[in-house]
Each structure stands twice: as C-alpha cells, then as structure tokens.
Amino acid sequence: MLRKLLIGTMLAGGLVAGYSATTYAAGGSVEVLHWWTSGGEAAALDVLKKKLESQGVTWKDMPVAGGGGEQAMTALRARVTAGDPPTAVQALGFDITDWAKQGVVGDLGEVADKEGWDKVIPTALQNFAKYDGKWIAAPVNVHSTNWVWINKKALDAAGSKEPANWDEFVAMLDKMKANGITPLAHGGQAWQDATLFDAVVLSFGTDFYKSAFIDLDPATLGGDKMVEAFDRMKKLRSYVDDDFSGRDWNLASAMVIQGKAGAQMMGDWAKGEFLKAGQKPGTDFVCIRFPGTQGAVTFNSDMFMMFKVGDDKKAAQLQMASDIESPDFQSSFNVVKGSVPARTDVPDTAFDDCGKKGIKDLAEANASGKLFGSMAHGYAVPAAIKNAIYDVVTRHFNGDIDSKEAAKELVDAVAAAKG
Ligand code: BGC
C-alpha cells in the first residue's frame, strides 16, 4: 500500500513517463480573465496563481463573477473590441472555436509540441483546444454535469438508499420534504436550469441525448419523450424552495452543506464548495450520478484560451500554458476544484472517492461511446443555439409554458438559432 502511494506521489510530482517541464519565463506577467469567484473556485485558482508566482510571473487578476461564464464572455467581448485582450481567458468549448474564427487567438504550438500534448490530452478536448490544427487553448480540467450532491445526514434520515433511478430519486426527495427540509437546492439562473436539463435529458438514454443536443434532430426535440423530459423538470421544480430565483449555484451548495436542503444537481465544481467547507465525501456528503445516467458522462472542460499578445508577454503566456499541463499541477489543481485531470496519464492517488469515481467514469464513458459534450456548458452546440435552448428551458421551469408547448418551442428556437 505504502509503495503504491509513494509511486503515485512520485508520478503526480512530475515523473510521469515522457514528461519534462519547460521554463519559458523568468518574470513577466499574465492578465487572466475568469469566473472562478466562489470559495472552492478561488481556492483552486490560487494553486495556479501560486505556481506562476513561484516562477516570478506576476498575476493580474480579472475576475468576472457569474457561474457558467456568460458575464465573463460579455466582458471579454468588450476587451477584444477595444483591441486590448487579456493574456489568457477561461473559456468553454464552442466559445473557443468562435473566438478562433475571429483570428484573435494565439498559438501554443511551441509548448504543445515540445511537451507532447497530442498524446496525453483526449481527442474530445483537442477538438476544442485546437483550431485549424493549431493549439490555441490549454485545457485545465474535465468537469461533468450529471452529478447529484446529497447531504449524508439528510440521506440517512430519508432511508439511506442512494437512488438508482427516477422513481427512487423522487421517493428520496419526497421523504426529505416530509422531513421538513428543502429537497432540492437550486438557483434560478438560466445556466443552472439548463444544467438540470442536461442530466434529465441524458436520463432518457445516450441516444436520446445525442439526437437532441448533438444532432439537433427536430423529431427528438419536439417528440413525446421530450415532453416527458419537461414533465420531469416540472416535478423537480416542485422540490425547490420559493426563494430560488436568481440564487447563485454556490449558495445552493451551501444549503446542502448546512443541511437546509437535501440535494443539489450540479457539475462537480460543487464538490469544491463541500471541500472548502471542510466536508468529506462519504461522511458528510455523497456524490452519485444523476439517477438513470450511470455509465454516461456529459462533460465540459475549462480551458485557458490564449490571445495574441506582444513579444514582451509571450514567454509568460507560454509558461502559463506549460504549467497548466504539467502532471503535478493537473493533480493538485483538480483535487481542489472537484474536476478531473485533462491528461490521461495523471494518477488518481491524490483524489478523494468522488474524484476517483469521476476519473473512472470518464475513462469508461469515453471507451464505451457514452461521453458527450454538455449542452448547458458549451460543449454540445454553439452559444447561439445554447442560449435559444436556455430560454425555453427557463420559461418552462418558471411555469410560463407547459411541457408540450416547451417541446414545440424547442424545435422552433433551435431552428431559428441555426439560421
Ligand atoms: C465551469 C466551472 C465553474 C462553473 C460555475 C462552469 O461552466 O466549467 O469551472 O466552476 O461553471 O461557475
């Protein structure tokens, strides 16, 4: 056991076979735009900031609060329009491709080639971190959106059974309600509603998810099963408290942490909040895949997209990219963030049980063809279509339209956004 641990630590410490770190900068600065402002997110970002600072690189922080990153993308547009983009920007999937098309992003080829990123970063991520065959972004992690975070005491009080399917999930939520707590902690923001929808749609099967969100098949988007999916969303809404409107996701996590609510459906960044609060998986909280989605994963990956910068800033930018892809950083950062490494060769030794499960689930889903980009988090469709889906999902969640109307509007909204 000790031997295994030591090997794991050594590997995570940078001795991954074939890996050698690069030094580009002694000094210089990076300006970094991101939306990691919650307690858990800030703690994770600090790991990167400290690593760069230890190499003499100055960190200029540009935080733009707002889960899911919509506000950050608006702030970025203003900076690029003014001709003054930051060095590095946290970004997701199709947004990265959209910026690349504008011709404003940098080129990380030098560091990616030297460090062999092609061999260790999964293709599903390369599809977005590269444009026209060139590396333009450094993937930090892989998150997934089909998780449920459950307060352990509340679960025990509700009969201790981890729900394995929709009916058991509903039964658990009913018991929590009877026990006098808010069953489902949720914040009424479009991206959070869409995060629930990701999981609910996936619970009708991977073919259904793919047909709806990857292929955008009108018959699937407007069919009976989609009406059923919306009915499930309506049922979930009935377990949310009345003050949910506008609530930030981390405040919803806090309700579960404090035992005021039983569970939260959220990506694994939520785990960062539980850890920051000193809680332990298995003891204080439980992580399960959203019932009915076991074996499948809807992923998103935070990437630092690099912008074209002057020669004076290039070395620090390459240093940041190199640091992000180093195996020891991938381990230490993701342990805090709640996500899993963006490289396939990082040992899981330092991760807790939820992290180990996340790493295993990702590898298995990838191998069995059950890994799909998250619609809610920019990896299934471009922003225009994503926002069109958000709009329908949120109006339905708020009770403005019924399930049949929602499925019908989904077809029209997607068609209009596709143009
Ligand atoms: C990002 C996470 C972040 C979450 C909430 C997601 O889109 O991928 O890194 O923690 O939004 O802000």
Side-chain angles (χ1 to χ4, degrees), residues 224-264:
D224 289 348
K225 243 191 211 178
M226 193 57 81
V227 176
E228 253 186 85
F230 276 113
D231 280 345
R232 283 193 181 178
M233 290 294 285
K234 191 167 171 215
K235 184 75 179 164
L236 292 176
R237 168 68 186 89
S238 73
Y239 295 113
V240 172
D241 66 318
D242 289 341
D243 299 329
F244 81 111
S245 189
R247 175 189 288 141
D248 286 330
W249 68 274
N250 52 317
L251 300 182
S253 305
M255 290 168 69
V256 180
I257 291 167
Q258 292 158 10
K260 291 180 182 153
Q264 181 184 24

Side-chain angles (χ1 to χ4, degrees), residues 35-36 41 66-69 90 92 141 143 191 249 269 300 302 337 377:
W35 66 91
W36 283 335
E41 291 173 330
Q90 179 195 356
L92 301 173
N141 61 6
H143 272 301
W191 75 269
W249 68 274
W269 47 90
N300 71 315
D302 293 300
K337 184 68 168 69
H377 293 268

Side-chain angles (χ1 to χ4, degrees), residues 32-52 59-63 90 140 304 320 324 329 332-333 336-337:
V32 185
L33 194 164
H34 63 89
W35 66 91
W36 283 335
T37 55
S38 78
E41 291 173 330
L45 188 71
D46 214 42
V47 178
L48 178 58
K49 194 176 157 204
K50 290 227 165 73
K51 180 154 177 117
L52 277 157
W59 179 277
K60 287 192 197 157
D61 206 34
M62 190 182 172
Q90 179 195 356
V140 188
F304 277 105
M320 180 174 170
I324 287 172
F329 171 79
S332 51
F333 173 90
V336 180
K337 184 68 168 69

Side-chain angles (χ1 to χ4, degrees), residues 200-374:
V200 167
V201 168
L202 187 67
S203 72
F204 284 84
T206 48
D207 288 348
F208 183 66
Y209 185 92
K210 178 176 178 294
S211 178
F213 291 153
I214 311 290
D215 305 338
L216 299 172
D217 174 47
T220 305
L221 290 170
D224 289 348
K225 243 191 211 178
M226 193 57 81
V227 176
E228 253 186 85
F230 276 113
D231 280 345
R232 283 193 181 178
M233 290 294 285
K234 191 167 171 215
K235 184 75 179 164
L236 292 176
R237 168 68 186 89
S238 73
Y239 295 113
V240 172
D241 66 318
D242 289 341
D243 299 329
F244 81 111
S245 189
R247 175 189 288 141
D248 286 330
W249 68 274
N250 52 317
L251 300 182
S253 305
M255 290 168 69
V256 180
I257 291 167
Q258 292 158 10
K260 291 180 182 153
Q264 181 184 24
M265 290 170 62
M266 190 44 63
D268 37 14
W269 47 90
K271 195 185 79 179
E273 297 305 299
F274 287 83
L275 298 183
K276 186 81 179 51
Q279 297 211 334
K280 294 208 166 35
T283 310
D284 306 303
F285 68 95
V286 172
C287 57
I288 58 164
R289 290 292 171 182
F290 180 66
T293 72
Q294 298 90 335
V297 167
T298 38
F299 81 93
N300 71 315
S301 163
D302 293 300
M303 301 194 181
F304 277 105
M305 167 170 62
M306 301 297 178
F307 277 81
K308 277 186 185 155
V309 288
D311 285 347
D312 55 326
K313 294 196 175 139
K314 191 76 195 166
Q317 185 181 60
L318 292 178
Q319 188 64 59
M320 180 174 170
S322 172
D323 285 354
I324 287 172
E325 299 314 332
S326 80
D328 67 336
F329 171 79
Q330 284 285 325
S331 181
S332 51
F333 173 90
N334 285 306
V335 159
V336 180
K337 184 68 168 69
S339 38
V340 307
R343 304 174 57 115
T344 51
D345 59 349
V346 178
D348 70 359
T349 328
F351 289 79
D352 60 31
D353 288 349
C354 294
K356 285 189 168 72
K357 178 172 166 50
I359 293 172
K360 189 166 164 275
D361 286 356
L362 180 70
E364 285 176 4
N366 190 28
S368 64
K370 291 186 173 175
L371 175 67
F372 297 99
S374 153

